[in-house]
Amino acid sequence: MLVAAAVCPSPPLLVPDVAAGAAPELDTTRTACAEALGVLAVSRPEVLVVVGPARPGERPGHHARGTPGSFEGFGVPTRVRLGAPEGPPPEGSLPAALAVGAWLLERAHWSSAPVEGLAVGTGLAAGRCMETGRGLAGRARRVALLVMGDGSACRSRKAPRYLDERAAPFDAAAARALGTADTEGLAALDEALARELGAAGRAPWQVLAGAAEGARLNGRLLHEDAPYGVGYFVAAWS
């Protein structure tokens, strides 16, 4: 059963080594992420699953505890690991969003429960996302999720996909649902519109919606911003 969830944005720029001189611009976001992870710790989960988008070229699917990741593709040698491995370290490498999640956990000195990862294809249908979430919630008596994902990438003229007038309403709907633990609101996010707006968080958020069905969790929106024209949200469910 899902007992808690933290929602965090997934840009590698959250990692100061990647952001370099621009790192202070996301200090408030990092602080909010740390607060959300604190909610996970006090929930005493038996397992924590980091859920994030598998972008084009990245492998969707399960990533075992201890899977390594790095930010070498972003020009820095920083390496991370998805919790402590059980036995020999797994082969493979984490998708970027899960690597950011692993970095957040290492920064928080996470030791409350074993950690696993799940990368979700950004095009996965809402129904499949919900079904996947239900499966995660049934993994153990007490399950927590760290859900990585961004909103629209069209909030300004300098955004990755330029300005789109539909982006702000889409992000506002996502923020309301994330801030109130509204599973129906998350499930209703439009897949086609999310794809057009570059909202990579849509599928992971709908996995969360499936996992939280019947859990009666309360939500808090801890942070909302759109730096660089991309919607970032931090929320805690417990």
Side-chain angles (χ1 to χ4, degrees), residues 8-103:
C8 295
S10 64
L13 287 173
L14 270 182
V15 180
D17 287 349
V18 176
E25 297 176 9
L26 293 181
D27 278 349
T28 302
T29 304
R30 294 184 193 96
T31 299
C33 289
E35 182 178 352
L37 263 63
V39 172
L40 297 185
V42 300
S43 72
R44 298 178 290 107
E46 297 172 10
V47 61
L48 171 65
V49 183
V50 182
V51 181
R55 293 180 170 85
E58 296 179 329
R59 180 179 69 83
H62 180 261
H63 294 266
R65 57 189 292 192
T67 300
S70 81
F71 297 97
E72 293 177 347
F74 300 93
V76 298
T78 304
R79 293 178 175 273
V80 293
R81 193 174 290 280
L82 195 63
E86 185 178 33
E91 297 182 356
S93 183
L94 296 172
L98 297 191
V100 175
W103 179 82

Side-chain angles (χ1 to χ4, degrees), residues 5-224:
V7 177
C8 295
S10 64
L13 287 173
L14 270 182
V15 180
D17 287 349
V18 176
E25 297 176 9
L26 293 181
D27 278 349
T28 302
T29 304
R30 294 184 193 96
T31 299
C33 289
E35 182 178 352
L37 263 63
V39 172
L40 297 185
V42 300
S43 72
R44 298 178 290 107
E46 297 172 10
V47 61
L48 171 65
V49 183
V50 182
V51 181
R55 293 180 170 85
E58 296 179 329
R59 180 179 69 83
H62 180 261
H63 294 266
R65 57 189 292 192
T67 300
S70 81
F71 297 97
E72 293 177 347
F74 300 93
V76 298
T78 304
R79 293 178 175 273
V80 293
R81 193 174 290 280
L82 195 63
E86 185 178 33
E91 297 182 356
S93 183
L94 296 172
L98 297 191
V100 175
W103 179 82
L104 287 172
L105 291 170
E106 289 186 359
R107 181 172 182 259
H109 306 291
W110 178 268
S111 60
S112 300
V115 183
E116 302 174 7
L118 178 67
V120 184
T122 55
L124 191 66
R128 291 285 305 281
C129 291
M130 299 284 288
E131 181 182 351
T132 299
R134 295 182 193 109
L136 291 179
R139 288 282 312 281
R141 188 173 59 88
R142 300 184 66 83
V143 176
L145 299 183
L146 171 56
V147 182
M148 310 297 297
D150 306 334
S152 68
C154 306
R155 292 282 294 276
S156 73
R157 288 184 173 84
K158 294 185 178 180
R161 298 199 178 192
Y162 196 66
L163 178 65
D164 190 312
E165 63 182 12
R166 301 171 298 174
F170 177 92
D171 283 353
R176 282 194 298 271
L178 292 170
T180 57
D182 180 0
T183 58
E184 292 183 358
L186 290 180
L189 292 175
D190 189 288
E191 300 170 41
L193 179 58
R195 181 172 59 252
E196 292 171 12
L197 297 176
R202 189 275 307 173
W205 297 337
Q206 290 180 332
V207 170
L208 168 60
E213 280 186 343
R216 298 183 179 180
L217 301 181
N218 296 312
R220 288 186 296 140
L221 188 66
L222 303 176
H223 179 69
E224 178 183 1

